[in-house]
Amino acid sequence: MRLLIVEDNVELSKLVASGLSAAGYESDIVGSTAEAREAVHNVSYAAMILDLGLPDGDGLSVLRELRRQMEPLPVLVLTARGGVQDRVNGLRSGADDYLAKPFAMEELVARLEAILRRPGQLLGRSLHLANLVYDTESRQIFIDDKPRIISSRETSVLEILLRRQGRVVPKKNVEDHIFGLDGEVASNAVEVYVSRLRKQLAEHGAKVVIHTIRGVGYMMAEEK
Amino acid sequence: MRLLIVEDNVELSKLVASGLSAAGYESDIVGSTAEAREAVHNVSYAAMILDLGLPDGDGLSVLRELRRQMEPLPVLVLTARGGVQDRVNGLRSGADDYLAKPFAMEELVARLEAILRRPGQLLGRSLHLANLVYDTESRQIFIDDKPRIISSRETSVLEILLRRQGRVVPKKNVEDHIFGLDGEVASNAVEVYVSRLRKQLAEHGAKVVIHTIRGVGYMMAEEK
DNA sequence: GTCCATCTGTCAGGTTCATGTAAGCCCGAG
DNA sequence: CTCGGGCTTACATGAACCTGACAGATGGAC
């Protein structure tokens, strides 16, 4: 399995490469956004490890470009900046995970393998669809890179539909996901949440649709 | 996907049916070997769950008869008798698996799905034809890898035609597959479904055709 | 504490849509 | 050409679904 390391600090990049090699991964190293763009277009990598502070620009621009092209390549962002704002920026731009320097090699490998192993988007920290990004940890929603607030219940519905995007999610599953085992609902609560979610997504200009499959459930997909 | 439950204990059979329903399978229930024979001959089931202690004879006789006719229907034997000898008898008679009462519903579903998924059987998890993919578990249709929604009845027709792609499926079989034992149709319902299915497949750009064989039934094949 | 805003679950009325039936046309076989 | 099966469209029906409204719950500001 081949990885792309985008990092301008030569010592660090070699260290990472050798650590990954020990874990059984081959890797290519580039040191600028320009080289990164080229490499990604020419080679099919299993994942990218991306540093943000690069000599010729911000690594996030590479990431955003990838996502705009609907490229699902898993990306692990790696940077010295560890503040909350940077973390949010990374995820908002479409990163799958985020690691602040200094870090332990084991953690890098563990997180990398987590994003490689995840089936579809079932386990990812961050979920994407069209211009919609959802951070599963902070439960934050971004549309066109702008944070949007929607209420808790609707967020839960969004999450489960997003995790199974392009697949039908039975209404019962949605209900279970929201209420867990204990709470029972004696009404059409799920329908109401879906209705409210649709409305809010539309208001915020999200380019996604929630299809209704009568007698079964719902399916979220990209618009058109 | 439709299953046949052969079980004379009404409570148990209902329990099993509801458990299977939760797992996404429809089922018909019969309570004797005579009814079982009739049902199997009239309807095309995905699998049979067979109890051995029946009021009018041994369930194994039904199974042996099926196998003598080279009928590949997957059979899961379910019985109070849990001894090794019984297990051997069941398997020797052509059962695909064996489950002793009392059992956990999860185990029944797991074993059932194991035999349904088994290669070489009529049934796999997903069926392909040209640019059309059908997932038998979620009953989802993909054309050119994009999920497509068509309604329940049309999906059932598609499923049986796909399972026997390249072969003629008698109209009566299609009808049985959709309605099972109980429902009787007093019209040209099947023709209507086929018509609707053709239309929708065309709209979605599926490269498949449904040929009509006059006086017999239908056959699905790749376009051109 | 009070006030206000928002969130939540329920309900009811209206709407949409899958479904089965029927009717008329089409078309292939003979 | 005739006959009969097949195709397609139209339509009625009821179930499934949508959505606006409402009232209680919650929680933050003061």
Side-chain angles (χ1 to χ4, degrees):
Chain A
M1 204 165 336
R2 181 164 289 273
L3 311 174
L4 179 65
I5 301 173
V6 187
E7 165 66 66
D8 62 323
N9 179 326
V10 178
E11 281 183 31
L12 179 57
S13 64
K14 283 188 178 165
L15 198 66
V16 171
S18 81
L20 292 176
S21 169
Y25 300 94
E26 298 165 87
S27 44
D28 293 337
I29 299 175
V30 298
S32 67
T33 65
E35 289 174 288
R37 269 177 251 268
E38 198 194 330
V40 164
H41 288 131
N42 292 328
V43 182
S44 173
Y45 291 102
M48 175 165 74
I49 294 167
L50 178 67
D51 185 35
L52 294 194
L54 295 169
D56 65 338
D58 191 344
L60 283 187
S61 66
V62 178
L63 177 53
R64 270 192 287 265
E65 189 178 307
L66 279 180
R67 295 306 183 220
R68 216 174 301 124
Q69 294 162 6
M70 292 300 142
E71 175 59 56
L73 179 73
V75 174
L76 176 63
V77 165
L78 193 67
T79 177
R81 302 179 250 171
V84 173
Q85 194 49 53
D86 288 312
R87 177 168 180 277
V88 168
N89 277 340
L91 293 177
R92 184 197 291 180
S93 302
D96 295 279
D97 205 346
Y98 194 97
L99 194 56
K101 303 178 196 171
F103 55 86
M105 202 58 217
E106 294 81 42
E107 185 171 11
L108 191 156
V109 172
R111 286 180 181 275
L112 180 68
E113 293 188 332
I115 65 177
L116 285 175
R117 201 171 34 231
R118 78 188 190 195
Q121 303 209 50
L122 270 180
L123 299 173
R125 171 190 282 195
S126 156
L127 310 172
H128 323 128
L129 181 63
N131 60 346
L132 180 69
V133 174
Y134 174 72
D135 177 4
T136 60
E137 287 192 10
S138 62
R139 289 173 65 87
Q140 274 193 100
I141 292 162
F142 302 93
I143 296 171
D144 287 328
D145 289 348
K146 289 188 286 288
R148 298 297 184 184
I149 311 281
I150 68 179
S151 68
S152 167
R153 294 306 203 199
E154 283 90 318
T155 302
S156 294
V157 174
L158 175 69
E159 177 174 326
I160 191 173
L161 293 182
L162 207 46
R163 281 191 192 284
R164 316 236 188 110
Q165 53 183 265
R167 315 210 35 148
V168 175
V169 183
K171 195 185 275 190
K172 190 68 173 58
N173 284 21
V174 178
E175 197 180 309
D176 291 345
H177 183 251
I178 296 175
F179 298 102
L181 293 178
D182 34 70
E184 282 310 307
V185 260
S187 77
N188 59 346
V190 172
E191 291 170 26
V192 175
Y193 300 141
V194 170
S195 171
R196 288 172 181 163
L197 178 57
R198 276 177 174 146
K199 194 173 171 184
Q200 296 181 59
L201 288 177
E203 279 171 5
H204 294 139
K207 295 191 171 49
V208 301
V209 280
I210 300 175
H211 296 284
T212 301
I213 294 84
R214 286 198 157 226
V216 185
Y218 298 93
M219 182 182 83
M220 177 171 277
E222 209 169 327
E223 201 174 41
K224 282 297 133 357
Chain B
M1 202 166 331
R2 184 167 287 273
L3 310 174
L4 179 65
I5 301 172
V6 186
E7 164 63 69
D8 60 333
N9 179 328
V10 178
E11 281 182 31
L12 179 58
S13 65
K14 283 190 179 164
L15 199 66
V16 170
S18 82
L20 292 176
S21 167
Y25 301 94
E26 299 165 86
S27 43
D28 293 333
I29 299 173
V30 298
S32 67
T33 65
E35 289 174 290
R37 269 178 250 269
E38 196 193 333
V40 165
H41 287 131
N42 291 329
V43 182
S44 169
Y45 290 103
M48 174 165 75
I49 294 167
L50 178 66
D51 186 28
L52 293 193
L54 296 168
D56 65 339
D58 190 344
L60 283 186
S61 66
V62 177
L63 178 55
R64 272 191 288 265
E65 188 178 309
L66 277 181
R67 296 307 183 221
R68 215 176 300 125
Q69 295 163 5
M70 292 297 143
E71 175 60 57
L73 178 73
V75 175
L76 176 62
V77 166
L78 191 68
T79 177
R81 304 178 247 170
V84 174
Q85 194 50 52
D86 288 313
R87 181 157 192 282
V88 169
N89 277 342
L91 294 176
R92 190 182 291 165
S93 302
D96 296 278
D97 205 344
Y98 195 97
L99 193 56
K101 303 177 197 173
F103 56 87
M105 201 57 217
E106 294 82 47
E107 183 169 13
L108 192 156
V109 172
R111 286 180 180 273
L112 180 67
E113 292 187 335
I115 65 177
L116 285 176
R117 243 194 323 270
R118 211 150 70 186
Q121 287 293 351
L122 198 52
L123 302 138
R125 184 189 153 110
S126 92
L127 307 168
H128 309 243
L129 181 62
N131 60 346
L132 180 70
V133 175
Y134 174 72
D135 179 351
T136 59
E137 285 189 24
S138 64
R139 288 173 62 88
Q140 276 207 272
I141 292 160
F142 300 86
I143 295 171
D144 288 328
D145 290 336
K146 288 189 287 288
R148 297 299 182 185
I149 296 167
I150 70 179
S151 69
S152 168
R153 294 308 203 203
E154 283 91 314
T155 301
S156 294
V157 173
L158 176 69
E159 177 175 323
I160 190 171
L161 293 182
L162 253 191
R163 282 192 191 289
R164 316 245 181 94
Q165 53 183 266
R167 282 178 289 161
V168 176
V169 182
K171 197 185 275 190
K172 190 66 171 63
N173 281 24
V174 177
E175 197 180 310
D176 290 342
H177 183 251
I178 296 174
F179 297 102
L181 282 182
D182 34 69
E184 283 310 309
V185 262
S187 76
N188 59 347
V190 172
E191 291 169 24
V192 174
Y193 300 142
V194 170
S195 171
R196 287 173 182 162
L197 178 57
R198 278 175 173 148
K199 193 173 172 183
Q200 295 183 58
L201 288 177
E203 278 171 8
H204 293 139
K207 295 190 171 49
V208 301
V209 279
I210 300 175
H211 296 287
T212 301
I213 292 82
R214 288 201 144 223
V216 185
Y218 299 93
M219 183 183 83
M220 176 170 277
E222 206 166 332
E223 200 175 43
K224 284 298 133 11

